[in-house]
Amino acid sequence: MKSDRLLSVLLLLQTRGRITADRLAAELEVSRRTIYRDVEALSAAGVPVYAERGRSGGIRLLPGYRTDVTGLTSDEARALFVLATQGAHQALGLDGALGTALRKVMAALPAPHRPAAELTSRRILVDPDPWLSGPRADVRLDELHTAVFTDRRLRLRYRHGGEGPARTYTVDPYGLVSKAGVWYLVADRRRSPALFRVDRVVTASVVDEAVRRRPGVELAEVWGVLRRRVEERPARIRVTARVHRSRYGMFTRIVGPMLAETPQSGPQSGPQAGPDGTEEAAEGRGKTGEAGEAEEAGKTGEAGAAEAGERTGEAEAADEWVTVRLDYPVLPAVGQLLQFGPWVEVVDPPCARAELVRRAREVLDLYGASPSDGPDGDTSAPVLPPGAPGAPGGT
């Protein structure tokens, strides 16, 4: 609605001072011409708004002009109280301030909206931490927070994942991002975007120099670039594997980000499907006409029954497995699949199978065991899923 957009324009100008027509158009998802029409409408309504020309120009309100906007809708009020369930405020030292602010908002709400807002705070809980995340290292945001809000450079001693000694960097921060319960510092390092996990920062100190951000670049834009860099990292190893159906749900939850294609279950039903998912090649099953009928009719007695039972067993075993394809950035990352034991078999490529064999032998050497040893010296055969290599009916 136009009235909502006019209110949004007024609030943006009031909070940011000066803002260009292009930026307003982008934020409100309208054209630049629409923004100029909205500015004219505000001016006609008595709002002291004007435009400045030139490189440093833009649209702004007269200095000192303020307006009180208290007409929150019911949905807007409920949205505010969902904020109370977020954990980011505690890390920033703002949990107390959030509670006070929400109480003030509650007092200012129209009476009909208060019950819905209060009920939302009691019925909606947002927990940003993943399951089984374990204890997290304490994060100190004080210096980072100071540098971000005072527009100062930062000097970090930072320990990268998997590396021992910490390295020293001088960076130009854009801001802090909390993603899935983990805090990140988004900054430029040598005029290029960089991402730092706050729990790996050994020390941080504010440098008495003005920050040197790239002109016109905001936190959300840099975060988008860094996020795509992480999520769209080119895969170098395409792995084909079989997953037993009894473990498929757990498998997809753990390795979901590595899945490259929609998984395909074993054989298709119908006369065209064979045990390997291709056209029927099994003797007798794909044949039609008199020759096929005669051949099938000739298979009687124990031999025919045994062959039919064998085909049924193969089909049932194949149906218990799901074929998946995964993308890994480097070969050693394939070792992730060892945690599933015999319930996941890598089929291709050979280098991935060899990597898993190497890792498994390292574990055996570590514990001084042979492949046939069970717990406490028990050499009985391990329990394998049907169709697994080494299992009855397996390959």
Side-chain angles (χ1 to χ4, degrees):
M1 293 175 61
K2 182 176 180 179
S3 58
D4 290 336
R5 191 175 66 246
L6 291 175
L7 179 59
S8 297
V9 171
L10 179 58
L11 291 175
L12 286 169
L13 293 175
Q14 186 170 289
T15 54
R16 300 189 186 179
R18 179 182 57 82
I19 185 169
T20 65
D22 289 336
R23 180 58 63 89
L24 277 172
E27 294 214 16
L28 299 179
E29 298 181 350
V30 296
S31 67
R32 185 175 179 180
R33 179 173 297 180
T34 298
I35 291 297
Y36 283 126
R37 285 200 298 264
D38 289 345
V39 169
E40 291 177 0
L42 287 172
S43 179
V47 176
V49 58
Y50 65 99
E52 294 178 332
R53 297 183 179 277
R55 174 179 290 183
S56 59
I59 301 169
R60 64 183 305 165
L61 298 169
L62 281 178
Y65 177 81
R66 305 289 295 178
T67 182
D68 291 328
V69 181
T70 57
L72 288 175
T73 67
S74 178
D75 286 345
E76 290 168 343
R78 291 171 59 196
L80 285 175
F81 279 83
V82 172
L83 291 173
T85 63
Q86 305 282 350
H89 304 86
Q90 184 175 2
L92 293 171
L94 297 175
D95 47 340
L98 176 65
T100 303
L102 290 174
R103 285 192 293 272
K104 291 178 179 179
V105 171
M106 179 69 80
L109 282 177
H113 297 340
R114 291 176 191 170
E118 184 180 2
L119 184 63
T120 298
S121 66
R122 301 202 326 261
R123 294 289 184 266
I124 302 297
L125 176 64
V126 179
D127 185 349
D129 295 330
W131 289 107
L132 304 176
S133 57
R136 294 187 183 276
D138 291 335
V139 295
R140 298 291 303 272
L141 296 176
D142 300 347
E143 293 295 310
L144 307 183
H145 187 273
T146 299
V148 165
F149 282 93
T150 59
D151 292 333
R152 289 295 190 239
R153 307 189 81 195
L154 263 172
R155 182 167 291 116
L156 306 175
R157 290 187 63 242
Y158 184 80
R159 181 174 288 110
H160 292 271
E163 293 189 9
R167 299 185 181 183
T168 301
Y169 301 107
T170 299
V171 299
D172 301 289
Y174 285 92
L176 296 163
V177 174
S178 177
K179 180 173 176 60
V182 179
W183 281 97
Y184 295 90
L185 172 70
V186 176
D188 271 355
R189 177 175 174 265
R190 298 177 179 175
R191 309 289 288 179
S192 296
L195 190 62
F196 301 90
R197 275 185 62 138
V198 174
D199 56 5
R200 292 179 184 167
V201 174
V202 180
T203 61
S205 57
V206 179
V207 178
D208 191 18
E209 297 179 23
V211 73
R212 304 173 187 173
R213 302 187 188 106
R214 285 167 286 154
V217 180
E218 297 290 341
L219 170 63
E221 180 182 345
V222 184
W223 171 251
V225 170
L226 293 169
R227 180 173 176 172
R228 287 191 297 272
R229 185 182 296 175
V230 172
E231 294 179 342
E232 299 174 5
R233 186 176 300 172
R236 300 175 183 174
I237 305 295
R238 171 64 63 89
V239 173
T240 302
R242 298 195 313 152
V243 184
H244 197 266
R245 286 193 183 276
S246 64
R247 298 296 190 274
Y248 180 68
M250 177 180 67
F251 177 85
T252 55
R253 287 194 297 272
I254 294 175
V255 306
M258 302 300 174
L259 287 172
E261 296 179 4
T262 303
Q264 299 175 354
S265 58
Q268 305 280 334
S269 60
Q272 299 299 317
D276 59 354
T278 61
E279 288 189 4
E280 177 62 62
E283 188 175 354
R285 292 184 64 186
K287 297 179 180 179
T288 58
E290 295 180 0
E293 293 176 2
E295 186 171 343
E296 284 296 315
K299 294 177 180 177
T300 58
E302 295 181 1
E307 184 174 344
E310 183 178 347
R311 287 203 303 266
T312 302
E314 290 176 356
E316 290 177 351
D319 282 339
E320 293 179 349
W321 293 84
V322 179
T323 299
V324 298
R325 289 176 176 80
L326 308 103
D327 285 337
Y328 285 99
V330 291
L331 184 60
V334 178
Q336 175 192 38
L337 300 177
L338 281 175
Q339 64 184 297
F340 300 102
W343 305 97
V344 172
E345 179 195 4
V346 170
V347 178
D348 193 65
C351 62
R353 293 176 62 92
E355 174 67 14
L356 294 181
V357 170
R358 183 186 67 81
R359 294 283 193 91
R361 285 174 176 161
E362 288 178 349
V363 173
L364 288 172
D365 292 342
L366 176 64
Y367 290 99
S370 66
S372 61
D373 288 343
D376 299 325
D378 182 12
T379 57
S380 59
V383 177
L384 298 175
T395 56

